[in-house]
Amino acid sequence: MPRTVPSTLDLSTVTVAVVLPGTGSDANFVDRVFRGALRSRGIDVVAVDPDPRGVVRSYVRAMDAAARSGPILVGGVSIGAAVALQWAAEH
């Protein structure tokens, strides 16, 4: 059953963003891409290095762990963006 999603997002409750790299990339790259915009809004960045034994699984685990502390933003590049979008749609 689809969840009802609010039409607006109150970013004042979000303090962490998890960002995921694409294939052949790493946490350093996505950190550099997203950090400036997120930090300017007071949001801390968690850039995830993929586990080559299970890239998608490692991304999902990182987002799940961060979300245990409260609402998070998620984003990424390439496959990282796709995994982030799927995770957000499910949560």
Side-chain angles (χ1 to χ4, degrees):
M1 169 181 245
R3 291 191 313 161
T4 302
V5 179
S7 60
T8 61
L9 175 63
D10 180 6
L11 288 179
S12 68
T13 65
V14 177
T15 61
V16 174
V18 177
V19 294
L20 311 172
T23 304
S25 189
D26 61 14
N28 182 48
F29 174 75
V30 290
D31 183 71
R32 288 183 287 124
V33 168
F34 290 102
R35 178 169 295 281
L38 292 167
R39 288 300 306 140
S40 73
R41 289 161 179 80
I43 299 172
D44 293 327
V45 177
V46 175
V48 179
D49 262 321
D51 180 342
R53 297 167 297 174
V55 173
V56 172
R57 183 177 57 243
S58 66
Y59 287 171
V60 169
R61 285 181 179 165
M63 291 181 289
D64 286 343
R68 287 187 197 106
S69 300
I72 63 171
L73 290 176
V74 295
V77 174
S78 188
I79 190 172
V83 175
L85 179 62
Q86 181 65 41
W87 186 92
E90 293 172 359
H91 295 82

